[in-house]
Amino acid sequence: MIKNAFIYRLVSPIGTPVHQTLEDALQVAAFVPCGATQEKSIGWVPPRGHEHGALLESVGGQWILKLMTEIKSVPADVVKRTAQERFAQVEAETGRKPGKKERREIMDDVRMALLPMAFSKQFATLVWIDPVERLMVVDAGSQGKADTVVTALVRSIEGLALHLISTQTSPAAAMAWWLSMKESPNSFTVDRECELKACDESKAVVKYGRHALDIDEVAAHIAQGKMPTRLALTYNDRVSFVLTEGLQLKKITILDVVFDTHRSISGELEEIFDANVAITTGELGKLIPALIDVLGGEVSVTEAAESETHGANSETPPHTGDGPDPLYDDAVAIVRAHNKPSISMVQRYLKIGYNRAARLLDAMEAAGVVSAMRADGSREVLV
């Protein structure tokens, strides 16, 4: 049911508002398909797939939501060819070549004219919230898509504050230790897939697939300065996954042994949905704390809440909302250094809450440092 996991901790409980209040908040942002000239539409849809069904499902106290994204796009080469015809027409009628501003306006007009004929693509992203443990998992394949979902959720639920979970030991350092020592952490086994990347300017990458990793060659790569960025693991012979350097879980697969005890479930869709939710959240609800534990424990919610106000450095003055954020220059430097302007990355490096990181990206967009968020949730460094 959940194949990828970006893992967040809620700074404050969200179980206080009644379930119907949250349902009403999501209904305000329910999904509406793209209009004729609309490039993108985002909104909440019923997780069970029922038309007019509930947008917030609760199964055994676990909450499931689903965000739908629809994108309409015209192939760039089609826009370019059509615009070139318009450029030639302007030159033939006026005896001059259109200027830069006029060319841009023509390109925009062409794109808008072609949008009604464009095919749309829809994709849905699941969100799991454990209101008791204040845990949230976003089933997104990329950081940009995860940012899109969390931004939509923060806008839908007033007062929601959360942060990406951080651990005392970085996943990269822990993975390097496990591979160098040829030992698996408690309750986990190292599988046969990993990626190592050099930290120097060469950025050399070594990948192992379907290959034993308890060999001297892997340890030698690490000794030479290559750090693990991905490592396949299995938890208690029940769930396999790939751990990334950013503490995301990829390729999550619940193994057959887990389902062997649930073979009696009938084919009714309602029962299948409930069973899948119960099994998935039950297994991940054990795996995630165990993983945090072998990574030295979690940076506490109290620390994260303080960093939401004060930033990564306790001496950094709090941002009250008046004037520029004192962490703005640091955030810009991080975005430029990594050429990857994402809310999650700024949040992780500065150790601040999601909401403050989002405001920093918005400020960069207003200043022309980064582009507006694209349909897939990504941004581009402009300066």
Side-chain angles (χ1 to χ4, degrees), residues 71-375:
I71 300 171
K72 291 176 68 176
S73 60
V74 181
D77 60 333
V78 175
V79 175
K80 184 176 180 180
R81 289 200 308 269
T82 306
Q84 289 292 346
E85 295 172 2
R86 293 274 296 275
F87 298 158
Q89 183 181 352
V90 170
E91 186 173 1
E93 293 175 353
T94 64
R96 62 172 179 81
K97 293 184 177 181
K100 183 182 295 185
K101 181 180 179 182
E102 187 176 4
R103 291 169 67 91
R104 185 166 59 247
E105 291 174 349
I106 289 173
M107 292 281 285
D108 290 341
D109 288 344
V110 168
R111 186 177 294 104
M112 292 299 290
L114 293 174
L115 267 178
M117 297 179 285
F119 290 103
S120 65
K121 178 174 67 174
Q122 293 184 348
F123 57 89
T125 306
L126 278 177
V127 180
W128 160 42
I129 297 175
D130 184 334
V132 175
E133 297 297 330
R134 301 206 301 268
L135 178 73
M136 186 176 88
V137 168
V138 178
D139 183 5
S142 68
Q143 203 165 63
K145 289 181 179 179
D147 287 346
T148 297
V149 174
V150 177
T151 298
L153 192 61
V154 168
R155 289 174 178 171
S156 297
I157 303 176
E158 185 178 356
L160 178 64
L162 45 80
H163 64 91
L164 276 167
I165 285 181
S166 296
T167 51
Q168 301 293 344
T169 302
S170 73
M175 291 188 289
W177 175 261
W178 301 335
L179 291 171
S180 297
M181 296 295 103
K182 303 176 184 176
E183 294 182 0
S184 298
N186 292 337
S187 303
F188 294 86
T189 55
V190 173
D191 293 339
R192 298 166 61 85
E193 176 186 343
C194 80
E195 177 182 277
L196 306 167
K197 183 178 292 185
C199 300
D200 57 23
E201 294 180 358
S202 71
K203 302 297 181 185
V205 175
V206 177
K207 295 182 180 181
Y208 290 89
R210 301 180 183 179
H211 197 290
L213 301 179
D214 55 347
I215 56 176
D216 292 339
E217 181 182 295
V218 172
H221 280 304
I222 295 172
Q224 292 165 8
K226 294 183 179 70
M227 291 295 288
T229 57
R230 298 166 64 93
L231 179 64
L233 298 166
T234 293
Y235 172 67
N236 271 346
D237 296 326
R238 298 175 70 84
V239 186
S240 66
F241 63 98
V242 173
L243 175 65
T244 75
E245 60 184 334
L247 194 56
Q248 288 93 47
L249 310 186
K250 305 286 188 180
K251 300 182 180 180
I252 297 172
T253 303
I254 296 178
L255 303 181
D256 288 343
V257 65
V258 177
F259 292 98
D260 286 343
T261 58
H262 300 275
R263 297 301 183 190
S264 61
I265 297 173
S266 68
E268 294 295 327
L269 293 179
E270 293 295 324
E271 295 181 358
I272 292 174
F273 178 88
D274 288 351
N276 283 338
V277 170
I279 293 170
T280 302
T281 59
E283 294 301 323
L284 293 183
K286 298 172 185 175
L287 184 158
I288 291 172
L291 180 61
I292 291 171
D293 184 59
V294 299
L295 293 175
E298 183 178 351
V299 175
S300 71
V301 174
T302 301
E303 294 174 62
E306 290 176 352
S307 69
E308 173 71 14
T309 303
H310 301 290
N313 186 338
S314 61
E315 298 179 359
T316 301
H319 184 226
T320 61
D322 301 323
D325 191 312
L327 292 180
Y328 177 78
D329 290 340
D330 291 337
V332 171
I334 290 168
V335 164
R336 286 175 172 162
H338 294 269
N339 195 33
K340 190 175 182 181
S342 79
I343 298 170
S344 299
M345 189 183 69
V346 170
Q347 178 188 350
R348 190 177 295 282
Y349 274 87
L350 293 181
K351 299 188 184 302
I352 58 177
Y354 182 91
N355 306 53
R356 188 175 183 183
R359 292 193 294 269
L360 286 167
L361 262 294
D362 288 342
M364 288 185 226
E365 180 183 335
V369 176
V370 302
S371 69
M373 190 176 287
R374 295 173 176 146

